Amino acid sequence: MSLREKLKIIEEVDSTNLYAKRNLAELDDGTVISAQRQTNGHGRFDRAWVDLGEGNIFMSLVLKPSDSCSEVFPNLTQYFSVILCEILEEYGVIPQIKWPNDVLINGKKIAGILSETVVQGQKFKGFILGAGINLNACEKSVSQIKDKEVTALNLETGKIVDKSEFLEKLVNKFFKNYDEFLQKGFGLIENSYMRRACFLGKEISVKVFNETKNGIAKEINDCGELVLLEKDKETILTMGDIL
Ligand code: BTN
């Protein structure tokens, strides 16, 4: 699969995920939407995703692997996070994954991934996998993000990052094992994910919508879910945000 045939670059958009959803019927499976500027990017749990400038990636992958939903779709964000870590490692940094799919370097968030399933009535129409990846930002702009610690690849390496090159590597690597992932699911990436997972064995707080759960992050199970040990009860979390 060649990136050039699939890439759609947009100068400015509200959100690449929203664009993909609005135009889903016309967009082929595997289309990559990349925006230079994003004015209304959003993340998980309705948070905003701040545009740190044109040197950063705002992208959405349009995936239409089948006519029906598959149980491996929720794990696609984890698959993406592993691929992203592998690419970041080529730049000499050591990324970690904060369950389920935030990518951190030195404890600071460098990328966020948001998946959205599109259904019409009962019919599955597609899956949008969006990612914001901070490649080139200045200290001042990252410090303006107050709700979490944020970094960018250039701040970690001291070098400007070629955005097109990074995007091409990322998308090519994503599609290399994508079909196999659809067959095998989380099992395909379990070891690679676990090697990079942070917080395991630690005392954590996880926000799940309006509720905060406290406990020890016991393990990630075979389905990629977080097993939280709360006092003497185990809770299996399929989504949430480690605070
Ligand atoms: C998160 O960390 O909560 C996920 C953030 C996802 C942000 C990306 S930027 C490109 C795509 N378009 C959006 O509106 N969101 C995703």
Side-chain angles (χ1 to χ4, degrees):
M1 179 160 331
S2 149
L3 172 57
R4 269 161 209 93
E5 283 163 29
K6 299 275 179 180
L7 180 61
K8 186 170 176 62
I9 297 179
I10 304 174
E11 271 307 305
E12 185 174 299
V13 73
D14 48 357
S15 143
T16 55
N17 270 33
L18 288 176
Y19 178 93
K21 286 199 278 183
R22 282 194 297 267
N23 297 285
L24 191 65
E26 293 83 55
L27 294 168
D28 289 335
D29 176 35
T31 304
V32 182
I33 315 225
S34 171
Q36 304 290 58
R37 291 180 300 280
Q38 188 174 246
T39 54
N40 193 20
H42 58 282
R44 298 191 311 127
F45 302 108
D46 269 341
R47 285 177 307 222
W49 183 262
V50 179
D51 180 333
L52 293 174
E54 290 196 12
N56 301 290
I57 290 180
F58 315 104
M59 66 176 288
S60 297
L61 295 175
V62 176
L63 304 172
K64 300 176 176 177
S66 60
D67 291 338
S68 56
C69 245
S70 151
E71 60 183 16
V72 308
F73 289 175
N75 300 112
L76 269 166
T77 60
Q78 290 168 313
Y79 172 68
F80 192 96
S81 68
V82 167
I83 300 292
L84 178 55
C85 286
E86 289 173 358
I87 301 293
L88 287 167
E89 282 157 10
E90 292 180 21
Y91 290 77
V93 292
I94 304 174
Q96 286 194 301
I97 302 172
K98 185 177 82 150
W99 180 88
N101 52 47
D102 279 349
V103 178
L104 315 180
I105 296 180
N106 292 322
K108 299 177 198 167
K109 182 158 166 167
I110 189 165
I113 301 167
L114 173 72
S115 68
E116 299 186 77
T117 304
V118 185
V119 285
Q120 210 171 57
Q122 303 276 64
K123 266 194 126 190
F124 170 76
K125 290 288 169 187
F127 193 80
I128 314 296
L129 197 50
I133 309 166
N134 301 337
L135 295 186
N136 296 289
C138 62
E139 290 280 7
K140 191 172 167 220
S141 51
V142 296
S143 67
Q144 276 159 6
I145 301 175
K146 298 287 180 212
D147 60 333
K148 54 187 166 297
E149 281 209 282
V150 171
T151 191
L153 189 52
N154 68 312
L155 299 176
E156 298 296 325
T157 62
K159 291 186 195 131
I160 293 173
V161 183
D162 183 326
K163 172 173 154 176
S164 317
E165 187 181 287
F166 191 99
L167 185 62
E168 180 156 358
K169 283 182 200 229
L170 181 68
V171 173
N172 286 338
K173 197 162 188 121
F174 179 90
F175 283 112
K176 193 159 173 251
N177 295 318
Y178 170 65
D179 291 329
E180 194 181 353
F181 180 79
L182 292 178
Q183 299 297 318
K184 298 190 177 156
F186 189 70
L188 183 73
I189 52 154
E190 189 163 1
N191 290 339
S192 320
Y193 184 93
M194 297 306 291
R195 260 207 316 280
R196 297 173 176 99
C198 50
F199 292 106
L200 285 181
K202 304 235 164 78
E203 189 97 44
I204 56 167
S205 298
V206 189
K207 191 157 188 257
V208 189
F209 296 107
N210 290 330
E211 200 187 343
T212 302
K213 293 177 176 292
N214 301 301
I216 292 171
K218 191 179 168 210
E219 59 178 348
I220 308 290
N221 68 16
D222 292 349
C223 302
E225 299 157 333
L226 176 67
V227 182
L228 186 73
L229 189 61
E230 295 176 282
K231 297 204 175 80
D232 41 14
K233 176 180 84 160
E234 275 186 13
T235 308
I236 294 178
L237 297 177
T238 54
M239 64 163 70
D241 200 29
I242 300 179
L243 301 171

